[in-house]
Amino acid sequence: MKVIRVLLKGNFDDAFLYRDRIVAVGTNSLSMFSLSQIAAKIEEIEPKTIPIPTLLFQRNDWTFGKEGMPYRSMVRNPEIANAFIAAARRLKNMEFEAVQFLEKTIRLGTTNDILLDMNIYNGRIYLGGDSGLYDCDLEWEKLAFEKVRHRFDTSCINVSVKYGAVNISCGDEGLHSSLNDFNLDQGPSRSIEKLSDMFQQRSSLSLRSTWCKTNVINYADFSNPQLFDTSAMPVPAGSLEAETSLLTGISETPWGIWNLDRTDKRASAVPSDYIDYTFNSGIHFYTINQAGSIFETSLKYPKSGDRPKLGHFSKIVDGFKGHVIKTLPLRSGAVIETLDKVFLLSATDGIQEVYDSPCLSVRTFPQSRRYKDLFILVTKEGLWLNSVLDADLLDPHGKIIDVEQLKIPINLKRRATDF
Amino acid sequence: MGTANEKGVTFGPTKTERFYDSLNCHRPTSKKPEKTKWCIDRQGEYAIFENADSASRTCIKGHIWGFGNQAGTIVLGGGNEVLAKFPKVVNPNDNWHGYPVSPRSKPSDAPPKEDIKQWLANGDIEQVFARRLLRFEL
């Protein structure tokens, strides 16, 4: 895997990709940049980069899945593949002033919070800060909004939204959930006096929450994730992004993931070395131990609707060094943020370094349709827009790119951004 | 140079006339698993305290907090801790001591958020460090 990236220079705290836009958060403001316009302007400034900006940044989905069939067929032709690689090399690490792509700046008029997390779902922007959770419904055609609402008044370090439900992690103030956050007619009815009453506490401790099918995964620590069983009801497609389920209930007592029954009694146990960090991407769970080994396992959901079972553990990487701060899933693997570096983890190439300084924010978009293989790094320099490119697909015989070196499982000297 | 004794090594006084005990129980050779361990030498441990003390990095609860750099990327402890806590002493003349802490492993070991915001405003720490502390990521 290779990472093609451009830098949009500016002063940002965080950024999110949604509906063809980069939504960048600065001090008390949101800056909107159109991805289509960015791709078009880069191609106008540097025509030799065509079609890479459009393909990698605007329509990342054209390189994989059903939408990616034409691309994959085309690049089987070595001359076309060569042209793509030349265009990608031309684009590599280009820098632009973000302001030249600015579509609109929106003043938020919020307090002087330190932004801790953000999310955008079903047209609504969620901002987690040290004084609580805020949201605003944006009119995306006009880029206008009515007001910012203060939803919850406890420091909010993680916002996770799916199936119409919002889960907020507040550290030692717990995990809180708002079901049917969009008040769909089909959902459970509620009598609400205050906005914060929409949230119900689920756990006394939460550093992060994610999803595993419709189940909620709570990370009270990063060694022993907990699974909350849930109930859901169908909703028409389009009422909640592309989802067709609305969460209606969350169980009171969670299950420890590592305590779930095994699919096979002979299946290997949780790696006995001390688990330093755990993360999941849907049903797939990954653990990193202090020795730097990364293991993968997955949950199997029986058709009977019983509790899921834990599968085999298999070691996928050895010798990883660095204290993991956060790990975020991508279509082709995961982005690992450590104290002072960022790495790309992929099944084909193991671990590759992609950035060598601490980042203000690292973000992936696995729930999106178009940006599953894009990730954003917000640094002191600005906003790095990164797209993952399958180098083996372009250069299967290793004649154009130095593929042999890329296949070394642990290759910390060579960067994924070297091309 | 410190003075060795049965508990460890005593350093000081600092500019604020405080003495510091580098305790054996928080050194890597200690066999007490419940204690976090420094991965820097005793002189470095004292330097972290001295720096935090001279910067008046005392929180609203009376503890002093130390770190290796403004970005919070220097590892101080054997469990990859980058933050050190020097708990408030009972009597003003008591010697201080300290140890590496991880708010991620033990949220009660996090500095108060008001102090983190103040350190950021003072320029003691960078934004990336402030956000990681507030998010219990360290």
Side-chain angles (χ1 to χ4, degrees), chain A residues 184-246:
Chain A
L184 296 186
D185 289 337
Q186 300 95 325
S189 60
R190 288 173 297 183
S191 166
I192 301 295
E193 287 183 11
K194 292 190 296 184
L195 281 171
S196 59
D197 289 345
M198 290 176 77
F199 285 91
Q200 190 177 341
Q201 186 163 358
R202 309 289 172 182
S203 175
S204 60
L205 191 59
S206 181
L207 303 180
R208 191 175 175 189
S209 76
T210 59
W211 299 87
C212 177
K213 291 189 178 262
T214 56
N215 293 152
V216 175
I217 306 296
N218 180 41
Y219 289 86
D221 60 50
F222 287 107
S223 302
N224 296 291
Q226 306 164 325
L227 181 145
F228 282 89
D229 215 350
T230 54
S231 53
M233 63 184 283
V235 286
S239 50
L240 291 171
E241 303 280 1
E243 290 155 10
T244 52
S245 296
L246 172 73

Side-chain angles (χ1 to χ4, degrees), chain A residues 187-311:
Chain A
S189 60
R190 288 173 297 183
S191 166
I192 301 295
E193 287 183 11
K194 292 190 296 184
L195 281 171
S196 59
D197 289 345
M198 290 176 77
F199 285 91
Q200 190 177 341
Q201 186 163 358
R202 309 289 172 182
S203 175
S204 60
L205 191 59
S206 181
L207 303 180
R208 191 175 175 189
S209 76
T210 59
W211 299 87
C212 177
K213 291 189 178 262
T214 56
N215 293 152
V216 175
I217 306 296
N218 180 41
Y219 289 86
D221 60 50
F222 287 107
S223 302
N224 296 291
Q226 306 164 325
L227 181 145
F228 282 89
D229 215 350
T230 54
S231 53
M233 63 184 283
V235 286
S239 50
L240 291 171
E241 303 280 1
E243 290 155 10
T244 52
S245 296
L246 172 73
L247 217 65
T248 54
I250 298 179
S251 65
E252 286 189 5
T253 312
W255 298 95
I257 294 284
W258 308 143
N259 297 330
L260 291 172
D261 289 343
R262 303 287 160 81
T263 50
D264 179 348
K265 286 179 182 172
R266 294 167 298 172
S268 52
V270 179
S272 56
D273 298 323
Y274 177 70
I275 295 175
D276 193 37
Y277 194 86
T278 304
F279 68 101
N280 75 297
S281 172
I283 61 168
H284 301 283
F285 283 75
Y286 302 84
T287 65
I288 305 176
N289 68 10
Q290 283 197 332
S293 300
I294 304 180
F295 297 84
E296 182 194 14
T297 185
S298 57
L299 297 190
K300 315 282 183 200
Y301 281 78
K303 287 179 183 171
S304 59
D306 287 344
R307 245 179 301 145
K309 292 185 175 182
L310 194 61

Side-chain angles (χ1 to χ4, degrees), chain A residues 326-398:
Chain A
K326 191 186 284 176
T327 304
L328 299 155
L330 277 173
R331 187 196 69 88
S332 56
V335 178
I336 301 178
E337 179 189 6
T338 66
L339 273 180
D340 54 1
K341 287 183 171 57
V342 178
F343 299 92
L344 175 67
L345 168 67
S346 66
T348 49
D349 298 311
I351 297 279
Q352 295 170 278
E353 183 184 315
V354 291
Y355 195 74
D356 65 357
S357 291
C359 290
L360 284 169
S361 168
V362 180
R363 227 165 252 297
T364 62
F365 310 92
Q367 284 177 224
S368 69
R369 186 165 67 90
R370 291 187 179 180
Y371 316 123
K372 289 181 191 297
D373 255 348
L374 277 176
F375 62 98
I376 281 184
L377 305 178
V378 179
T379 69
K380 285 180 191 170
E381 301 155 289
L383 187 160
W384 292 91
L385 189 57
N386 302 268
S387 185
V388 180
L389 182 70
D390 186 347
D392 282 359
L393 186 67
L394 284 174
D395 188 22
H397 306 297

Side-chain angles (χ1 to χ4, degrees), chain B residues 8-75:
Chain B
V9 177
T10 299
F11 293 90
T14 63
K15 286 176 187 168
T16 60
E17 300 296 319
R18 284 169 171 156
F19 286 87
Y20 180 78
D21 288 336
S22 164
L23 300 181
N24 292 337
C25 62
H26 287 292
R27 299 303 309 168
T29 48
S30 162
K31 289 181 179 159
K32 293 184 174 176
E34 72 279 11
K35 303 281 187 189
T36 58
K37 315 286 192 308
W38 295 93
C39 68
I40 54 176
D41 63 21
R42 289 187 193 270
Q43 195 67 47
E45 180 187 331
Y46 174 58
I48 296 289
F49 174 73
E50 198 176 29
N51 176 273
D53 182 48
S54 67
S56 304
R57 216 172 296 120
T58 307
C59 72
I60 50 179
K61 293 179 180 172
H63 311 311
I64 295 176
W65 299 86
F67 34 78
N69 64 355
Q70 291 175 307
T73 54
I74 294 179
V75 174

